[in-house]
Amino acid sequence: MTAHNFKIFSLNSNKGLAQRIADCTGVPLGKIKVSHFSDGEISISIEESIRGDNIFIIQSTSEPVNDNLMELLIMIDACRRASANQINVVIPYFGYARQDRKAQPREPISAKLVSRMIESAGATRVLTLDLHASQIQGFFEIPVDHLLGSPLLARYYDENPDYRDADIVVVSPDHGGVGRARKMAEFLHAPIAIIDKRRPKANVAEVMNIIGDVKDKHAILIDDMIDTAGTICAAADMIVKNGAKSVSACCTHAVLSGPAIERLENSKLREIVVTDSIALPEEKNIEKIKVLSVARLISDAILRIQENRSVSPLFREKYEGQVELNADL
């Protein structure tokens, strides 16, 4: 271990995951008070000394995105002013990641703006999981450790008897996710297929055809996130029409906004496997959804960072840490 103590603090976005991470590391969550003034301004008070400590702040910038982001920025500033040695920001779900480039004239690159804000507030390192666009790592001038969810998801399918001996094909719902699907396929020793689609406007996907063979196979759709579920449900319909025996889906980030739950319940998907990078409220925890915890994966990364060891072994091979399924989530 290094000479510096380390402490873990949780903000409001995903307290359950933060507690599970703390339990895995054996370090209790730090004492902190997050409150709001009557006009909505956020107030944060760290109720213990952190002078000279290495701090890990756990906060997904999920819905409500702007409130959670502002909480994070204020906490980073508080840690900097309290003389923390390192301020490591753990962002299991990085909001604004889909705004990573100018798709049309006069558009902002909001992911770059958010990155600069986090860095300017005083963060010294970012630990995140399955960025929508991996090049966002380059938006920071501080170290970014980018964990992958596919090894954890692959282990679920590898250990599930319903899939272990099945004729599986891993399917990417679009061309942008081919790398992710290929990684999963390598873990499962399976072929891949690609959904060729065009998107007429935001949150509306039109599926065109399938590149690859899904006939008489058990298809596993993989994406980094499921938002309104339009893409994933349309892809499932197309896969079934092309003769697949069954189709399931998996993703790291269960955003599940708007009509997502209704679409998933009425879809041809056998099950949807997600992680707890975003807290899943009770009304969205339907029977089809299986939740894996990333707590062990993130806690292993935190310990490796604290001990100045490499993080890359956590995603080079199929993750061998504990896989928790709907475990007190």
Side-chain angles (χ1 to χ4, degrees), residues 158-177:
D158 199 41
E159 295 185 347
N160 190 321
D162 292 337
Y163 298 95
R164 189 182 300 138
D165 299 319
D167 190 5
I168 288 173
V169 59
V170 178
V171 184
S172 172
D174 53 35
H175 292 280

Side-chain angles (χ1 to χ4, degrees), residues 5-311:
N5 294 324
F6 81 98
K7 294 180 179 178
I8 300 172
F9 289 91
S10 171
L11 297 176
N12 283 329
S13 72
N14 201 335
K15 289 184 175 180
L17 174 59
Q19 185 61 62
R20 289 187 285 277
I21 291 170
D23 292 342
C24 289
T25 60
V27 175
L29 288 176
K31 297 177 182 177
I32 181 176
K33 182 179 180 181
V34 182
S35 57
H36 292 78
F37 294 107
S38 59
D39 64 351
E41 289 183 4
I42 297 167
S43 173
I44 288 181
S45 175
I46 302 171
E47 299 181 329
E48 59 184 273
S49 174
I50 59 171
R51 182 178 295 273
D53 293 336
N54 294 340
I55 303 303
F56 291 85
I57 306 167
I58 300 170
Q59 176 82 329
S60 283
T61 49
S62 50
E63 184 183 7
V65 180
N66 297 328
D67 286 352
N68 287 333
L69 176 59
M70 200 64 201
E71 271 188 15
L72 177 60
L73 295 173
I74 293 171
M75 179 62 178
I76 294 170
D77 185 70
C79 291
R80 180 172 60 86
R81 295 177 187 278
S83 301
N85 179 59
Q86 294 179 3
I87 304 171
N88 303 281
V89 180
V90 182
I91 312 176
Y93 171 72
F94 190 96
Y96 286 101
R98 284 174 283 185
Q99 300 184 47
D100 62 302
R101 66 192 187 281
K102 288 183 67 173
Q104 297 181 33
R106 297 174 297 280
E107 282 191 342
I109 305 178
S110 302
K112 170 66 173 177
L113 174 62
V114 170
S115 303
R116 291 176 62 187
M117 291 166 66
I118 291 170
E119 193 169 340
S120 297
T124 57
R125 176 184 297 271
V126 170
L127 173 63
T128 190
L129 178 66
D130 265 334
L131 287 168
H132 182 69
S134 59
Q135 63 265 26
I136 292 173
Q137 296 173 82
F139 292 173
F140 290 92
E141 296 299 324
I142 56 177
V144 177
D145 290 305
H146 184 207
L147 301 177
L148 301 178
S150 54
L152 187 70
L153 296 168
R155 186 175 176 198
Y156 166 78
Y157 289 110
D158 199 41
E159 295 185 347
N160 190 321
D162 292 337
Y163 298 95
R164 189 182 300 138
D165 299 319
D167 190 5
I168 288 173
V169 59
V170 178
V171 184
S172 172
D174 53 35
H175 292 280
V178 171
R180 189 178 301 108
R182 184 175 291 118
K183 191 72 174 175
M184 171 75 92
E186 288 174 1
F187 288 136
L188 298 178
H189 307 289
I192 70 168
I194 305 164
I195 303 289
D196 178 35
K197 69 176 176 66
R198 64 169 178 243
R199 188 186 296 272
K201 58 183 179 180
N203 292 329
V204 176
E206 181 179 350
V207 175
M208 299 299 293
N209 53 50
I210 297 177
I211 302 170
D213 181 23
V214 298
K215 186 175 176 57
D216 296 326
K217 295 180 182 291
H218 296 273
I220 299 173
L221 279 157
I222 181 171
D223 212 343
D224 63 318
M225 69 177 73
I226 298 176
D227 188 355
T228 61
T231 295
I232 215 78
C233 292
D237 288 343
M238 179 60 69
I239 290 169
V240 171
K241 287 179 182 177
N242 279 261
K245 286 184 177 179
S246 70
V247 56
S248 63
C250 63
C251 73
T252 303
H253 308 301
V255 180
L256 303 181
S257 65
I261 294 299
E262 182 181 357
R263 285 174 173 173
L264 292 174
E265 283 189 312
N266 297 325
S267 73
K268 293 182 171 62
L269 290 165
R270 171 181 172 182
E271 67 176 356
I272 304 99
V273 182
V274 305
T275 80
D276 58 348
S277 66
I278 297 174
L280 193 65
E282 188 174 345
E283 65 270 16
K284 294 184 179 180
N285 197 3
I286 61 175
E287 187 176 350
K288 276 188 176 183
I289 294 178
K290 304 294 188 296
V291 184
L292 307 180
S293 180
V294 293
R296 180 71 64 180
L297 175 63
I298 292 176
S299 67
D300 286 350
I302 287 174
L303 292 172
R304 285 174 175 271
I305 291 168
Q306 171 65 11
E307 297 166 3
N308 290 318
R309 294 190 292 136
S310 173
V311 174

